Amino acid sequence: MKCKKIILSSLLMLTGCSQAQTITKTDTEPTLELSQSRVQVAVNKSFNYQSFIKTASDKEDGDMVSKVEYTDIETSKSGSYQVDYSLKDSDHHEVRKSLKVDVVKMDDKGIYNPLDVTPDTIENPDDITALVNKINQIPKGWVPNDLEPVLDNKSQKLRKEANVAYTKFYNDAKAKGINIYSISGYRTNDTQTLYWNNQVKVRGEQYASMYSAYPGRSEHQLGLAIDISYTTTGNRLNETVATSPLGKFIISDAYKYGFIIRYPKDKIAITNYAYEPWHMRYVGVELATKLNESGITLEEYYNQ
C-alpha cells in the first residue's frame, strides 16, 4: 500500500510539473518580414531602411517596427551590399533577416545598366511564371525542350503551351480584321548576345539597357515571350503599336489568352525597361488575369 502511495505521489508531481510548464510557456520568436530580398538604389540616394520592413511584431509586445535594428550601408559608391535587420522582444528572443542592396547608376527614369549588377540564377526556368529580368538569369546552358514554330512565321518559335495560346490569340485577331505579325519569339543565348552587342555598338549601353536584355537575362530565352506588330515594314516595334488596332486588342484581350504586356508605360522604374507595347509574355490565363485585374507587374507579384 505504501508503495502505491509513493508511485501515485510521483505521478501527481510529474503531472503538476508538466501542467506548469505548459501554462508558463511563451517561448515564441517575434515576427520579422521584409517586403523584398533584394533592391536597387541609385548612387548617392538616401536609403530608407524601414520602408522595406513588411512586418515586425510579437505576441506579447505587439507592433515592433520601431524596435527593429539594422546595419548601415554606404550609397556613395556602386556595388552590392547587405543590410542586416534584427528584432529582439522583451523575452530576449531574437530574429534576423537580410536585404541585398545593389547601389547602381540610374538614369532619370530609374533604369540601370545590367552590367552593374551580378544576377541570381533562377531554379525554375521550366515554370511558365518564372521571373527573368536584370537581376534574375536563366541557368547557363538551359534551353526549352518543347519549342514550336508559330503559325504565321516559321522562323519564330514559342514553347508549346505558349504557342497554343498565341495561335488562338492570332486567329481571333485576324477574325476581327486586325493585322498581326510575329517579329521575334524564342532566342538562343548567341542570338541574344548579337542583339545586345548590336544595340550597344549602334546606340550605346544606356539605350541597350532600356530596350535590350543582357544575354541570359532575356525573357525571349525562356521561349515564353513574343514581339508582334501590325506591320512588316519600317520600324515595326515602336510605341505606335499601342495605338493600332493590334495594340488595343493586346490591352483589352491578351490576358484572356494568358499573355501580359510585360513592360508597361507606367512601370518603367519597376521593370527597369522602357515601355514596350509590342512585347507579350505568356504566364498562363490564371496569373495573367490576376495581374490584369490588379494592375501590377511580374516583379510586384513576386514581391507581395
PDB file of all heavy atoms in Angstrom, residues 260-297:
ATOM      1  N   ILE A 260       0.646  38.856 -70.974  1.00  0.00           N
ATOM      2  CA  ILE A 260       0.660  40.173 -70.343  1.00  0.00           C
ATOM      3  C   ILE A 260       1.577  41.106 -71.127  1.00  0.00           C
ATOM      4  O   ILE A 260       2.475  40.653 -71.834  1.00  0.00           O
ATOM      5  CB  ILE A 260       1.159  40.109 -68.880  1.00  0.00           C
ATOM      6  CG1 ILE A 260       2.587  39.541 -68.819  1.00  0.00           C
ATOM      7  CG2 ILE A 260       0.210  39.294 -68.022  1.00  0.00           C
ATOM      8  CD1 ILE A 260       3.233  39.627 -67.444  1.00  0.00           C
ATOM      9  N   ILE A 261       1.306  42.412 -71.030  1.00  0.00           N
ATOM     10  CA  ILE A 261       2.275  43.398 -71.526  1.00  0.00           C
ATOM     11  C   ILE A 261       3.335  43.476 -70.440  1.00  0.00           C
ATOM     12  O   ILE A 261       3.094  44.011 -69.362  1.00  0.00           O
ATOM     13  CB  ILE A 261       1.615  44.774 -71.748  1.00  0.00           C
ATOM     14  CG1 ILE A 261       0.527  44.676 -72.818  1.00  0.00           C
ATOM     15  CG2 ILE A 261       2.673  45.797 -72.167  1.00  0.00           C
ATOM     16  CD1 ILE A 261      -0.212  45.978 -73.053  1.00  0.00           C
ATOM     17  N   ARG A 262       4.470  42.935 -70.727  1.00  0.00           N
ATOM     18  CA  ARG A 262       5.490  42.753 -69.692  1.00  0.00           C
ATOM     19  C   ARG A 262       6.117  44.061 -69.216  1.00  0.00           C
ATOM     20  O   ARG A 262       6.521  44.177 -68.049  1.00  0.00           O
ATOM     21  CB  ARG A 262       6.575  41.813 -70.243  1.00  0.00           C
ATOM     22  CG  ARG A 262       7.658  41.457 -69.262  1.00  0.00           C
ATOM     23  CD  ARG A 262       7.117  40.633 -68.103  1.00  0.00           C
ATOM     24  NE  ARG A 262       8.225  40.301 -67.207  1.00  0.00           N
ATOM     25  CZ  ARG A 262       8.644  41.078 -66.222  1.00  0.00           C
ATOM     26  NH1 ARG A 262       8.046  42.234 -65.975  1.00  0.00           N
ATOM     27  NH2 ARG A 262       9.652  40.700 -65.460  1.00  0.00           N
ATOM     28  N   TYR A 263       6.209  45.052 -70.117  1.00  0.00           N
ATOM     29  CA  TYR A 263       6.870  46.311 -69.763  1.00  0.00           C
ATOM     30  C   TYR A 263       5.927  47.492 -69.995  1.00  0.00           C
ATOM     31  O   TYR A 263       6.014  48.185 -70.999  1.00  0.00           O
ATOM     32  CB  TYR A 263       8.157  46.470 -70.581  1.00  0.00           C
ATOM     33  CG  TYR A 263       9.056  45.246 -70.503  1.00  0.00           C
ATOM     34  CD1 TYR A 263       9.387  44.525 -71.640  1.00  0.00           C
ATOM     35  CD2 TYR A 263       9.540  44.798 -69.274  1.00  0.00           C
ATOM     36  CE1 TYR A 263      10.194  43.397 -71.568  1.00  0.00           C
ATOM     37  CE2 TYR A 263      10.343  43.671 -69.192  1.00  0.00           C
ATOM     38  CZ  TYR A 263      10.664  42.972 -70.339  1.00  0.00           C
ATOM     39  OH  TYR A 263      11.447  41.843 -70.256  1.00  0.00           O
ATOM     40  N   PRO A 264       5.018  47.729 -69.042  1.00  0.00           N
ATOM     41  CA  PRO A 264       4.034  48.807 -69.171  1.00  0.00           C
ATOM     42  C   PRO A 264       4.664  50.197 -69.096  1.00  0.00           C
ATOM     43  O   PRO A 264       5.756  50.372 -68.553  1.00  0.00           O
ATOM     44  CB  PRO A 264       3.093  48.577 -67.979  1.00  0.00           C
ATOM     45  CG  PRO A 264       3.380  47.191 -67.500  1.00  0.00           C
ATOM     46  CD  PRO A 264       4.819  46.944 -67.821  1.00  0.00           C
ATOM     47  N   LYS A 265       3.927  51.165 -69.596  1.00  0.00           N
ATOM     48  CA  LYS A 265       4.417  52.544 -69.657  1.00  0.00           C
ATOM     49  C   LYS A 265       4.591  53.165 -68.286  1.00  0.00           C
ATOM     50  O   LYS A 265       5.510  53.969 -68.064  1.00  0.00           O
ATOM     51  CB  LYS A 265       3.441  53.390 -70.485  1.00  0.00           C
ATOM     52  CG  LYS A 265       3.984  54.731 -70.909  1.00  0.00           C
ATOM     53  CD  LYS A 265       3.045  55.395 -71.908  1.00  0.00           C
ATOM     54  CE  LYS A 265       3.662  56.649 -72.502  1.00  0.00           C
ATOM     55  NZ  LYS A 265       2.778  57.242 -73.552  1.00  0.00           N
ATOM     56  N   ASP A 266       3.736  52.816 -67.341  1.00  0.00           N
ATOM     57  CA  ASP A 266       3.774  53.447 -66.017  1.00  0.00           C
ATOM     58  C   ASP A 266       4.554  52.635 -64.983  1.00  0.00           C
ATOM     59  O   ASP A 266       4.497  52.919 -63.791  1.00  0.00           O
ATOM     60  CB  ASP A 266       2.351  53.672 -65.504  1.00  0.00           C
ATOM     61  CG  ASP A 266       1.564  52.373 -65.374  1.00  0.00           C
ATOM     62  OD1 ASP A 266       1.964  51.365 -65.996  1.00  0.00           O
ATOM     63  OD2 ASP A 266       0.550  52.368 -64.659  1.00  0.00           O
ATOM     64  N   LYS A 267       5.306  51.635 -65.441  1.00  0.00           N
ATOM     65  CA  LYS A 267       6.041  50.772 -64.503  1.00  0.00           C
ATOM     66  C   LYS A 267       7.522  50.664 -64.853  1.00  0.00           C
ATOM     67  O   LYS A 267       8.196  49.695 -64.481  1.00  0.00           O
ATOM     68  CB  LYS A 267       5.419  49.371 -64.510  1.00  0.00           C
ATOM     69  CG  LYS A 267       3.953  49.316 -64.131  1.00  0.00           C
ATOM     70  CD  LYS A 267       3.733  49.473 -62.645  1.00  0.00           C
ATOM     71  CE  LYS A 267       2.272  49.274 -62.270  1.00  0.00           C
ATOM     72  NZ  LYS A 267       2.057  49.263 -60.821  1.00  0.00           N
ATOM     73  N   ILE A 268       8.042  51.659 -65.554  1.00  0.00           N
ATOM     74  CA  ILE A 268       9.425  51.599 -66.036  1.00  0.00           C
ATOM     75  C   ILE A 268      10.426  51.440 -64.890  1.00  0.00           C
ATOM     76  O   ILE A 268      11.367  50.641 -64.984  1.00  0.00           O
ATOM     77  CB  ILE A 268       9.753  52.859 -66.866  1.00  0.00           C
ATOM     78  CG1 ILE A 268       8.938  52.848 -68.164  1.00  0.00           C
ATOM     79  CG2 ILE A 268      11.246  52.926 -67.189  1.00  0.00           C
ATOM     80  CD1 ILE A 268       9.073  54.107 -69.003  1.00  0.00           C
ATOM     81  N   ALA A 269      10.234  52.172 -63.807  1.00  0.00           N
ATOM     82  CA  ALA A 269      11.170  52.099 -62.683  1.00  0.00           C
ATOM     83  C   ALA A 269      11.114  50.745 -61.977  1.00  0.00           C
ATOM     84  O   ALA A 269      12.051  50.364 -61.274  1.00  0.00           O
ATOM     85  CB  ALA A 269      10.879  53.212 -61.685  1.00  0.00           C
ATOM     86  N   ILE A 270      10.026  50.006 -62.182  1.00  0.00           N
ATOM     87  CA  ILE A 270       9.863  48.701 -61.544  1.00  0.00           C
ATOM     88  C   ILE A 270      10.406  47.578 -62.425  1.00  0.00           C
ATOM     89  O   ILE A 270      11.150  46.712 -61.966  1.00  0.00           O
ATOM     90  CB  ILE A 270       8.384  48.440 -61.205  1.00  0.00           C
ATOM     91  CG1 ILE A 270       7.912  49.456 -60.162  1.00  0.00           C
ATOM     92  CG2 ILE A 270       8.177  47.014 -60.701  1.00  0.00           C
ATOM     93  CD1 ILE A 270       6.430  49.422 -59.898  1.00  0.00           C
ATOM     94  N   THR A 271      10.038  47.575 -63.711  1.00  0.00           N
ATOM     95  CA  THR A 271      10.534  46.539 -64.623  1.00  0.00           C
ATOM     96  C   THR A 271      11.965  46.813 -65.064  1.00  0.00           C
ATOM     97  O   THR A 271      12.693  45.914 -65.459  1.00  0.00           O
ATOM     98  CB  THR A 271       9.656  46.446 -65.874  1.00  0.00           C
ATOM     99  OG1 THR A 271       9.744  47.680 -66.615  1.00  0.00           O
ATOM    100  CG2 THR A 271       8.202  46.175 -65.514  1.00  0.00           C
ATOM    101  N   ASN A 272      12.351  48.093 -65.016  1.00  0.00           N
ATOM    102  CA  ASN A 272      13.659  48.579 -65.435  1.00  0.00           C
ATOM    103  C   ASN A 272      13.885  48.434 -66.933  1.00  0.00           C
ATOM    104  O   ASN A 272      15.020  48.271 -67.399  1.00  0.00           O
ATOM    105  CB  ASN A 272      14.798  47.934 -64.651  1.00  0.00           C
ATOM    106  CG  ASN A 272      15.856  48.960 -64.299  1.00  0.00           C
ATOM    107  OD1 ASN A 272      16.912  49.039 -64.912  1.00  0.00           O
ATOM    108  ND2 ASN A 272      15.556  49.810 -63.315  1.00  0.00           N
ATOM    109  N   TYR A 273      12.807  48.493 -67.677  1.00  0.00           N
ATOM    110  CA  TYR A 273      12.866  48.546 -69.138  1.00  0.00           C
ATOM    111  C   TYR A 273      11.885  49.598 -69.629  1.00  0.00           C
ATOM    112  O   TYR A 273      10.865  49.865 -68.982  1.00  0.00           O
ATOM    113  CB  TYR A 273      12.500  47.192 -69.760  1.00  0.00           C
ATOM    114  CG  TYR A 273      13.601  46.164 -69.645  1.00  0.00           C
ATOM    115  CD1 TYR A 273      13.519  45.138 -68.704  1.00  0.00           C
ATOM    116  CD2 TYR A 273      14.733  46.219 -70.460  1.00  0.00           C
ATOM    117  CE1 TYR A 273      14.535  44.203 -68.581  1.00  0.00           C
ATOM    118  CE2 TYR A 273      15.749  45.282 -70.345  1.00  0.00           C
ATOM    119  CZ  TYR A 273      15.645  44.285 -69.409  1.00  0.00           C
ATOM    120  OH  TYR A 273      16.657  43.360 -69.285  1.00  0.00           O
ATOM    121  N   ALA A 274      12.191  50.184 -70.777  1.00  0.00           N
ATOM    122  CA  ALA A 274      11.307  51.177 -71.367  1.00  0.00           C
ATOM    123  C   ALA A 274      10.000  50.506 -71.812  1.00  0.00           C
ATOM    124  O   ALA A 274       9.906  49.279 -71.917  1.00  0.00           O
ATOM    125  CB  ALA A 274      11.991  51.845 -72.558  1.00  0.00           C
ATOM    126  N   TYR A 275       9.007  51.311 -72.046  1.00  0.00           N
ATOM    127  CA  TYR A 275       7.684  50.852 -72.483  1.00  0.00           C
ATOM    128  C   TYR A 275       7.778  50.074 -73.788  1.00  0.00           C
ATOM    129  O   TYR A 275       8.348  50.542 -74.765  1.00  0.00           O
ATOM    130  CB  TYR A 275       6.788  52.071 -72.662  1.00  0.00           C
ATOM    131  CG  TYR A 275       5.400  51.816 -73.175  1.00  0.00           C
ATOM    132  CD1 TYR A 275       4.642  50.732 -72.741  1.00  0.00           C
ATOM    133  CD2 TYR A 275       4.823  52.714 -74.089  1.00  0.00           C
ATOM    134  CE1 TYR A 275       3.345  50.534 -73.198  1.00  0.00           C
ATOM    135  CE2 TYR A 275       3.521  52.528 -74.550  1.00  0.00           C
ATOM    136  CZ  TYR A 275       2.794  51.435 -74.102  1.00  0.00           C
ATOM    137  OH  TYR A 275       1.516  51.249 -74.560  1.00  0.00           O
ATOM    138  N   GLU A 276       7.232  48.853 -73.792  1.00  0.00           N
ATOM    139  CA  GLU A 276       7.229  48.013 -74.993  1.00  0.00           C
ATOM    140  C   GLU A 276       5.837  47.418 -75.214  1.00  0.00           C
ATOM    141  O   GLU A 276       5.546  46.307 -74.754  1.00  0.00           O
ATOM    142  CB  GLU A 276       8.271  46.899 -74.887  1.00  0.00           C
ATOM    143  CG  GLU A 276       9.706  47.392 -74.868  1.00  0.00           C
ATOM    144  CD  GLU A 276      10.726  46.262 -74.996  1.00  0.00           C
ATOM    145  OE1 GLU A 276      10.307  45.079 -75.013  1.00  0.00           O
ATOM    146  OE2 GLU A 276      11.929  46.560 -75.092  1.00  0.00           O
ATOM    147  N   PRO A 277       4.967  48.139 -75.882  1.00  0.00           N
ATOM    148  CA  PRO A 277       3.605  47.635 -76.105  1.00  0.00           C
ATOM    149  C   PRO A 277       3.538  46.440 -77.047  1.00  0.00           C
ATOM    150  O   PRO A 277       2.492  45.816 -77.184  1.00  0.00           O
ATOM    151  CB  PRO A 277       2.885  48.852 -76.701  1.00  0.00           C
ATOM    152  CG  PRO A 277       3.961  49.643 -77.354  1.00  0.00           C
ATOM    153  CD  PRO A 277       5.159  49.480 -76.461  1.00  0.00           C
ATOM    154  N   TRP A 278       4.653  46.113 -77.668  1.00  0.00           N
ATOM    155  CA  TRP A 278       4.707  45.002 -78.618  1.00  0.00           C
ATOM    156  C   TRP A 278       5.189  43.691 -77.984  1.00  0.00           C
ATOM    157  O   TRP A 278       5.123  42.629 -78.602  1.00  0.00           O
ATOM    158  CB  TRP A 278       5.662  45.364 -79.752  1.00  0.00           C
ATOM    159  CG  TRP A 278       7.072  45.660 -79.276  1.00  0.00           C
ATOM    160  CD1 TRP A 278       8.057  44.760 -79.011  1.00  0.00           C
ATOM    161  CD2 TRP A 278       7.610  46.947 -78.968  1.00  0.00           C
ATOM    162  NE1 TRP A 278       9.192  45.409 -78.563  1.00  0.00           N
ATOM    163  CE2 TRP A 278       8.949  46.747 -78.534  1.00  0.00           C
ATOM    164  CE3 TRP A 278       7.110  48.257 -79.041  1.00  0.00           C
ATOM    165  CZ2 TRP A 278       9.789  47.808 -78.160  1.00  0.00           C
ATOM    166  CZ3 TRP A 278       7.942  49.298 -78.659  1.00  0.00           C
ATOM    167  CH2 TRP A 278       9.266  49.078 -78.241  1.00  0.00           C
ATOM    168  N   HIS A 279       5.685  43.773 -76.765  1.00  0.00           N
ATOM    169  CA  HIS A 279       6.297  42.602 -76.121  1.00  0.00           C
ATOM    170  C   HIS A 279       5.278  41.903 -75.220  1.00  0.00           C
ATOM    171  O   HIS A 279       4.896  42.420 -74.173  1.00  0.00           O
ATOM    172  CB  HIS A 279       7.510  43.054 -75.303  1.00  0.00           C
ATOM    173  CG  HIS A 279       8.227  41.931 -74.593  1.00  0.00           C
ATOM    174  ND1 HIS A 279       9.398  41.380 -75.059  1.00  0.00           N
ATOM    175  CD2 HIS A 279       7.943  41.267 -73.441  1.00  0.00           C
ATOM    176  CE1 HIS A 279       9.806  40.441 -74.226  1.00  0.00           C
ATOM    177  NE2 HIS A 279       8.937  40.353 -73.225  1.00  0.00           N
ATOM    178  N   MET A 280       4.857  40.704 -75.617  1.00  0.00           N
ATOM    179  CA  MET A 280       3.903  39.929 -74.832  1.00  0.00           C
ATOM    180  C   MET A 280       4.629  38.758 -74.168  1.00  0.00           C
ATOM    181  O   MET A 280       5.437  38.082 -74.788  1.00  0.00           O
ATOM    182  CB  MET A 280       2.772  39.382 -75.701  1.00  0.00           C
ATOM    183  CG  MET A 280       1.871  40.431 -76.324  1.00  0.00           C
ATOM    184  SD  MET A 280       0.239  39.750 -76.776  1.00  0.00           S
ATOM    185  CE  MET A 280       0.680  38.299 -77.740  1.00  0.00           C
ATOM    186  N   ARG A 281       4.292  38.530 -72.910  1.00  0.00           N
ATOM    187  CA  ARG A 281       4.889  37.422 -72.161  1.00  0.00           C
ATOM    188  C   ARG A 281       3.790  36.477 -71.700  1.00  0.00           C
ATOM    189  O   ARG A 281       2.795  36.887 -71.096  1.00  0.00           O
ATOM    190  CB  ARG A 281       5.650  37.966 -70.948  1.00  0.00           C
ATOM    191  CG  ARG A 281       5.928  36.958 -69.842  1.00  0.00           C
ATOM    192  CD  ARG A 281       6.898  35.854 -70.241  1.00  0.00           C
ATOM    193  NE  ARG A 281       6.845  34.766 -69.239  1.00  0.00           N
ATOM    194  CZ  ARG A 281       7.553  34.734 -68.126  1.00  0.00           C
ATOM    195  NH1 ARG A 281       8.389  35.717 -67.846  1.00  0.00           N
ATOM    196  NH2 ARG A 281       7.433  33.703 -67.294  1.00  0.00           N
ATOM    197  N   TYR A 282       3.968  35.192 -71.967  1.00  0.00           N
ATOM    198  CA  TYR A 282       2.984  34.197 -71.551  1.00  0.00           C
ATOM    199  C   TYR A 282       3.244  33.773 -70.111  1.00  0.00           C
ATOM    200  O   TYR A 282       4.355  33.394 -69.747  1.00  0.00           O
ATOM    201  CB  TYR A 282       3.047  32.964 -72.454  1.00  0.00           C
ATOM    202  CG  TYR A 282       1.997  31.929 -72.105  1.00  0.00           C
ATOM    203  CD1 TYR A 282       0.661  32.134 -72.456  1.00  0.00           C
ATOM    204  CD2 TYR A 282       2.332  30.777 -71.411  1.00  0.00           C
ATOM    205  CE1 TYR A 282      -0.310  31.204 -72.120  1.00  0.00           C
ATOM    206  CE2 TYR A 282       1.370  29.843 -71.069  1.00  0.00           C
ATOM    207  CZ  TYR A 282       0.048  30.068 -71.422  1.00  0.00           C
ATOM    208  OH  TYR A 282      -0.916  29.142 -71.085  1.00  0.00           O
ATOM    209  N   VAL A 283       2.198  33.855 -69.269  1.00  0.00           N
ATOM    210  CA  VAL A 283       2.296  33.418 -67.865  1.00  0.00           C
ATOM    211  C   VAL A 283       1.128  32.507 -67.493  1.00  0.00           C
ATOM    212  O   VAL A 283       1.000  32.097 -66.339  1.00  0.00           O
ATOM    213  CB  VAL A 283       2.327  34.621 -66.898  1.00  0.00           C
ATOM    214  CG1 VAL A 283       3.589  35.438 -67.083  1.00  0.00           C
ATOM    215  CG2 VAL A 283       1.078  35.492 -67.061  1.00  0.00           C
ATOM    216  N   GLY A 284       0.249  32.201 -68.464  1.00  0.00           N
ATOM    217  CA  GLY A 284      -0.941  31.411 -68.175  1.00  0.00           C
ATOM    218  C   GLY A 284      -2.127  32.302 -67.871  1.00  0.00           C
ATOM    219  O   GLY A 284      -1.962  33.417 -67.373  1.00  0.00           O
ATOM    220  N   VAL A 285      -3.316  31.812 -68.167  1.00  0.00           N
ATOM    221  CA  VAL A 285      -4.537  32.619 -68.020  1.00  0.00           C
ATOM    222  C   VAL A 285      -4.774  33.046 -66.571  1.00  0.00           C
ATOM    223  O   VAL A 285      -5.141  34.188 -66.305  1.00  0.00           O
ATOM    224  CB  VAL A 285      -5.765  31.857 -68.556  1.00  0.00           C
ATOM    225  CG1 VAL A 285      -7.058  32.634 -68.266  1.00  0.00           C
ATOM    226  CG2 VAL A 285      -5.633  31.599 -70.050  1.00  0.00           C
ATOM    227  N   GLU A 286      -4.554  32.141 -65.627  1.00  0.00           N
ATOM    228  CA  GLU A 286      -4.837  32.452 -64.220  1.00  0.00           C
ATOM    229  C   GLU A 286      -4.013  33.634 -63.727  1.00  0.00           C
ATOM    230  O   GLU A 286      -4.556  34.594 -63.172  1.00  0.00           O
ATOM    231  CB  GLU A 286      -4.562  31.227 -63.343  1.00  0.00           C
ATOM    232  CG  GLU A 286      -4.873  31.461 -61.870  1.00  0.00           C
ATOM    233  CD  GLU A 286      -4.629  30.238 -61.006  1.00  0.00           C
ATOM    234  OE1 GLU A 286      -4.300  29.162 -61.546  1.00  0.00           O
ATOM    235  OE2 GLU A 286      -4.764  30.368 -59.769  1.00  0.00           O
ATOM    236  N   LEU A 287      -2.705  33.588 -63.927  1.00  0.00           N
ATOM    237  CA  LEU A 287      -1.853  34.671 -63.441  1.00  0.00           C
ATOM    238  C   LEU A 287      -2.030  35.925 -64.274  1.00  0.00           C
ATOM    239  O   LEU A 287      -2.049  37.037 -63.730  1.00  0.00           O
ATOM    240  CB  LEU A 287      -0.383  34.248 -63.452  1.00  0.00           C
ATOM    241  CG  LEU A 287       0.611  35.303 -62.945  1.00  0.00           C
ATOM    242  CD1 LEU A 287       0.222  35.801 -61.553  1.00  0.00           C
ATOM    243  CD2 LEU A 287       2.031  34.747 -62.929  1.00  0.00           C
ATOM    244  N   ALA A 288      -2.188  35.771 -65.581  1.00  0.00           N
ATOM    245  CA  ALA A 288      -2.386  36.943 -66.437  1.00  0.00           C
ATOM    246  C   ALA A 288      -3.637  37.708 -66.022  1.00  0.00           C
ATOM    247  O   ALA A 288      -3.643  38.948 -66.009  1.00  0.00           O
ATOM    248  CB  ALA A 288      -2.498  36.509 -67.899  1.00  0.00           C
ATOM    249  N   THR A 289      -4.677  36.992 -65.656  1.00  0.00           N
ATOM    250  CA  THR A 289      -5.921  37.629 -65.207  1.00  0.00           C
ATOM    251  C   THR A 289      -5.706  38.373 -63.898  1.00  0.00           C
ATOM    252  O   THR A 289      -6.171  39.502 -63.720  1.00  0.00           O
ATOM    253  CB  THR A 289      -7.031  36.574 -65.036  1.00  0.00           C
ATOM    254  OG1 THR A 289      -7.250  35.905 -66.281  1.00  0.00           O
ATOM    255  CG2 THR A 289      -8.335  37.225 -64.587  1.00  0.00           C
ATOM    256  N   LYS A 290      -4.984  37.760 -62.970  1.00  0.00           N
ATOM    257  CA  LYS A 290      -4.691  38.409 -61.685  1.00  0.00           C
ATOM    258  C   LYS A 290      -3.895  39.691 -61.886  1.00  0.00           C
ATOM    259  O   LYS A 290      -4.189  40.727 -61.280  1.00  0.00           O
ATOM    260  CB  LYS A 290      -3.893  37.456 -60.788  1.00  0.00           C
ATOM    261  CG  LYS A 290      -4.687  36.310 -60.211  1.00  0.00           C
ATOM    262  CD  LYS A 290      -3.796  35.451 -59.325  1.00  0.00           C
ATOM    263  CE  LYS A 290      -4.574  34.273 -58.741  1.00  0.00           C
ATOM    264  NZ  LYS A 290      -3.703  33.409 -57.899  1.00  0.00           N
ATOM    265  N   LEU A 291      -2.882  39.618 -62.742  1.00  0.00           N
ATOM    266  CA  LEU A 291      -2.043  40.791 -62.982  1.00  0.00           C
ATOM    267  C   LEU A 291      -2.829  41.886 -63.690  1.00  0.00           C
ATOM    268  O   LEU A 291      -2.655  43.075 -63.395  1.00  0.00           O
ATOM    269  CB  LEU A 291      -0.817  40.402 -63.823  1.00  0.00           C
ATOM    270  CG  LEU A 291       0.141  39.392 -63.186  1.00  0.00           C
ATOM    271  CD1 LEU A 291       1.318  39.117 -64.110  1.00  0.00           C
ATOM    272  CD2 LEU A 291       0.651  39.886 -61.839  1.00  0.00           C
ATOM    273  N   ASN A 292      -3.691  41.502 -64.603  1.00  0.00           N
ATOM    274  CA  ASN A 292      -4.504  42.486 -65.321  1.00  0.00           C
ATOM    275  C   ASN A 292      -5.484  43.179 -64.374  1.00  0.00           C
ATOM    276  O   ASN A 292      -5.664  44.394 -64.439  1.00  0.00           O
ATOM    277  CB  ASN A 292      -5.273  41.797 -66.449  1.00  0.00           C
ATOM    278  CG  ASN A 292      -6.126  42.763 -67.259  1.00  0.00           C
ATOM    279  OD1 ASN A 292      -5.618  43.563 -68.040  1.00  0.00           O
ATOM    280  ND2 ASN A 292      -7.435  42.697 -67.077  1.00  0.00           N
ATOM    281  N   GLU A 293      -6.098  42.410 -63.498  1.00  0.00           N
ATOM    282  CA  GLU A 293      -7.091  42.976 -62.574  1.00  0.00           C
ATOM    283  C   GLU A 293      -6.443  43.877 -61.523  1.00  0.00           C
ATOM    284  O   GLU A 293      -7.010  44.896 -61.125  1.00  0.00           O
ATOM    285  CB  GLU A 293      -7.856  41.840 -61.882  1.00  0.00           C
ATOM    286  CG  GLU A 293      -8.796  41.084 -62.829  1.00  0.00           C
ATOM    287  CD  GLU A 293      -9.467  39.902 -62.160  1.00  0.00           C
ATOM    288  OE1 GLU A 293      -9.047  39.537 -61.032  1.00  0.00           O
ATOM    289  OE2 GLU A 293     -10.401  39.334 -62.752  1.00  0.00           O
ATOM    290  N   SER A 294      -5.258  43.502 -61.079  1.00  0.00           N
ATOM    291  CA  SER A 294      -4.585  44.271 -60.027  1.00  0.00           C
ATOM    292  C   SER A 294      -3.709  45.388 -60.578  1.00  0.00           C
ATOM    293  O   SER A 294      -3.340  46.315 -59.842  1.00  0.00           O
ATOM    294  CB  SER A 294      -3.729  43.341 -59.166  1.00  0.00           C
ATOM    295  OG  SER A 294      -2.736  42.701 -59.951  1.00  0.00           O
ATOM    296  N   GLY A 295      -3.365  45.308 -61.870  1.00  0.00           N
ATOM    297  CA  GLY A 295      -2.533  46.341 -62.481  1.00  0.00           C
ATOM    298  C   GLY A 295      -1.089  46.315 -62.038  1.00  0.00           C
ATOM    299  O   GLY A 295      -0.413  47.344 -62.045  1.00  0.00           O
ATOM    300  N   ILE A 296      -0.606  45.130 -61.639  1.00  0.00           N
ATOM    301  CA  ILE A 296       0.776  45.030 -61.180  1.00  0.00           C
ATOM    302  C   ILE A 296       1.625  44.236 -62.171  1.00  0.00           C
ATOM    303  O   ILE A 296       1.101  43.524 -63.023  1.00  0.00           O
ATOM    304  CB  ILE A 296       0.878  44.380 -59.784  1.00  0.00           C
ATOM    305  CG1 ILE A 296       0.355  42.937 -59.809  1.00  0.00           C
ATOM    306  CG2 ILE A 296       0.136  45.220 -58.762  1.00  0.00           C
ATOM    307  CD1 ILE A 296       0.539  42.194 -58.493  1.00  0.00           C
ATOM    308  N   THR A 297       2.921  44.383 -62.033  1.00  0.00           N
ATOM    309  CA  THR A 297       3.863  43.685 -62.898  1.00  0.00           C
ATOM    310  C   THR A 297       4.261  42.347 -62.277  1.00  0.00           C
ATOM    311  O   THR A 297       3.916  42.050 -61.125  1.00  0.00           O
ATOM    312  CB  THR A 297       5.142  44.513 -63.087  1.00  0.00           C
ATOM    313  OG1 THR A 297       5.764  44.667 -61.801  1.00  0.00           O
ATOM    314  CG2 THR A 297       4.826  45.881 -63.672  1.00  0.00           C
TER     315      THR A 297
END
